[in-house]
Amino acid sequence: MASSGELDYVPPVLNYEDSPTPITELTPELAESLRKRSHTVLSYLVATNSKSIFFNEYEPLAAFRDALDGQVPDDVDDLFSKTVELSEYNDYLPFVDRFFQKDVKVADVENLMAPGLPYFIAHSSGTSGGKTKHFPKYQHPKHMSTSTAQTMAASNPTSKTGGKNCVVYSLGYMDVVKPLDENGEVAKHITVCLMSSGTIRMHTGMDQPRDAFYQKMKVPVNTAPLGASFIPNYKSFMFIHGLFALAERNTELINTMFSTLFRDFYTALIERFDEVVDCIEKGTLPDMDGIAHVKDNLMQYWSANPERAQELRTIGNDTTQPGWLKRVFPKLAIVVAISSGPFSSVLPEMKHHMGPDVQLRTLGINCSEAFLALAYDSKDPSLYKVVGTDEIIEYLDIDLPENAKGLLSAWEVQVGKKYEVILTTRDGFWRYRLGDVVEVVGFDPRDGQPIIHYLERRSSCIRLASEITTESELTGAIMTVSKDLGTVAEFCVMGDYRATRARYGYWVETQNNLPDDASHVPERVHAALKAANSNYDYENRTGKLGVPTVHILKKGTFAEFRDWKIRSLGISSGQVKVPLVVWEEATRKFLEERELREVVGPASVDS
């Protein structure tokens, strides 16, 4: 591989191998430490962001503004608690929309949510049927960016043995906002992109006008040149990253952010294995959609490797035995992919292909709004430690009324209880309802921060009668029959109104072919839902809900869905998620066109 133009960026290494067992109760000393830390962070946020346009124009903050009287008093925590109510995205929308006005002026958006102009604007993946949301993201001092630094370090560490990392992140963007100064000149190029893309750009100082230069570079520790991260076509993006990773025998870590994207990554290698091996043998790159503008840059770091090609050809792409990924990547030790909550259905297939010797890790809970939590224990990818140094994170008991009176601080939560996360962020959001539900499972004995399991989106539920069935209940029910369907890989749920009684319709892609006799599956899913949700059970007994339907999709359907969404929304590759609950008609039609068969049981049809 060529060495000229390599980017000399080496992030610090994060080690969470030896995280202690969480404790179940806080000591008085740890509780006091959490209070002091919260006070310090809140004082900084108030001092910094109270100068913003939003803070001074948003009417529900009037009581807090008046109580502050232009200062940060010692009792700021008490004032904040008593005067600031919960907020939602629509409260911020009129302000955020100013960035997208024609010929936007610096004077209209400077200091809008936080001091200065944002470095980038994160957009949501927009897969739940609603309008894409936008979140201005500002550059903050190092002491208020520890979660960003730790996440970046864990996402692309430097190997102690010379191993390489395959980091499957996009550096593309949906748009560029160019606010004009008083002379009518562009003052700044603000990319509108994925949170991961923008964070990488901000952390490494990448300025959008220099993208053509960055596309010629290569980070020494990475398998693919940066040009691969500028490929807009999702299938081409995955193929090129996989190609460069497979050509490198020392690939030690693969990072795709989400488990569903990791599935697309290895599926592309399995299905196009002969083509990949031919490219490695001959030193060629195919003419794929979306790579023309970076192909010459990629070729700088690409050459024929007949020896590696022969090694791969000998191994082949038979994945019936566990550990295929370890066979083709002999040095592979770690896969980084969020695999909790709605991403857990992919785990059986992933672990089959990874084998027992490859460790699955997660970076944390990183959303467009903020960094919520970091991975806590390398041995348990479902455990996360809440970040308490960059944002104010509060907890709304899901059994209490949905207002600020039900909020608890980190030192007040209880192990075993479920809470909706509420954020006050560095980027100017105040007691913002994130919508994510977590369960507290303990506290870090070193600093007292809560250790959590991610459960679900509070808004991601389905209601067909008078019941409400949650994301975790929907997931649990289908996973009870996973093996009976040939191992569930991915799925989503829609309302099925074809019969007299409404039913939940599961749309499932499986790892293996459907067994000959799966007629019992709908009834077993039905039984699991009744056992998990008494309201569902009641609505069934009163004749309002029928037995769920189960629809088997063509293999590769959800990968096609991600590709379709990226193209239809005009967003960059790398972070599109399939909504667990589908209401959007276009998505419904997309899935129906790819149905192989419906699993019909004896009680599947209403009498």
Side-chain angles (χ1 to χ4, degrees), residues 136-379:
K137 311 302 294 183
Y138 297 79
Q139 192 156 27
H140 305 284
K142 289 183 178 179
H143 75 279
M144 291 299 297
S145 303
T146 57
S147 60
T148 304
Q150 289 178 329
T151 301
M152 290 298 299
S155 68
N156 195 19
T158 301
S159 170
K160 296 178 181 178
T161 59
K164 301 291 185 178
N165 301 332
C166 172
V167 181
V168 190
Y169 283 13
S170 171
L171 290 172
Y173 45 83
M174 178 188 289
D175 197 3
V176 181
V177 173
K178 303 174 183 177
L180 304 176
D181 63 20
E182 55 189 16
N183 297 319
E185 301 292 332
V186 174
K188 190 171 185 178
H189 294 74
I190 305 172
T191 55
V192 183
C193 57
L194 299 171
M195 179 67 168
S196 56
S197 307
T199 301
I200 293 170
R201 285 179 172 275
M202 183 165 61
H203 191 71
T204 56
M206 298 178 67
D207 191 17
Q208 184 271 332
R210 290 172 54 83
D211 277 358
F213 172 70
Y214 302 136
Q215 290 168 13
K216 300 176 182 179
M217 306 175 75
K218 185 176 185 293
V219 179
V221 73
N222 289 359
T223 56
L226 286 184
S229 294
F230 287 88
I231 297 173
N233 181 278
Y234 183 65
K235 292 181 179 179
S236 303
F237 171 83
M238 282 293 179
F239 181 89
I240 294 297
H241 273 95
L243 176 61
F244 272 89
L246 207 56
E248 174 57 70
R249 203 176 188 281
N250 291 322
T251 298
E252 190 174 275
L253 175 147
I254 301 173
N255 179 358
T256 62
M257 179 70 81
F258 296 106
S259 59
T260 49
L261 303 191
F262 183 58
R263 181 171 186 258
D264 292 347
F265 173 84
Y266 63 68
T267 299
L269 293 180
I270 294 168
E271 293 181 348
R272 303 178 69 173
F273 187 77
D274 290 340
E275 183 181 359
V276 170
V277 174
D278 283 344
C279 289
I280 294 172
E281 181 179 43
K282 299 171 184 176
T284 58
L285 295 178
D287 292 322
M288 304 181 73
D289 184 24
I291 77 166
H293 68 298
V294 295
K295 189 171 182 180
D296 288 344
N297 299 329
L298 298 175
M299 287 301 298
Q300 292 184 59
Y301 304 95
W302 188 244
S303 58
N305 192 340
E307 183 180 347
R308 174 64 173 151
Q310 182 56 43
E311 179 183 18
L312 292 168
R313 194 170 279 118
T314 300
I315 297 170
N317 63 342
D318 181 359
T319 60
T320 54
Q321 295 300 314
W324 180 80
L325 286 166
K326 181 65 175 177
R327 292 193 291 276
V328 295
F329 295 109
K331 299 293 182 66
L332 183 63
I334 298 169
V335 169
V336 180
I338 295 172
S339 54
S340 58
F343 303 104
S344 60
S345 65
V346 188
L347 280 175
E349 181 182 303
M350 281 177 55
K351 290 183 177 179
H352 172 82
H353 290 314
M354 290 163 55
D357 299 326
V358 179
Q359 186 180 90
L360 177 62
R361 292 186 180 181
T362 183
L363 290 176
I365 304 175
N366 307 324
C367 49
S368 301
E369 294 88 340
F371 286 100
L372 172 59
L374 296 166
Y376 183 68
D377 188 339
S378 62
K379 298 180 291 295

Side-chain angles (χ1 to χ4, degrees), residues 478-490:
I478 196 64
M479 294 313 292
T480 63
V481 297
S482 177
K483 292 184 179 179
D484 298 333
L485 290 173
T487 307
V488 172
E490 296 187 65

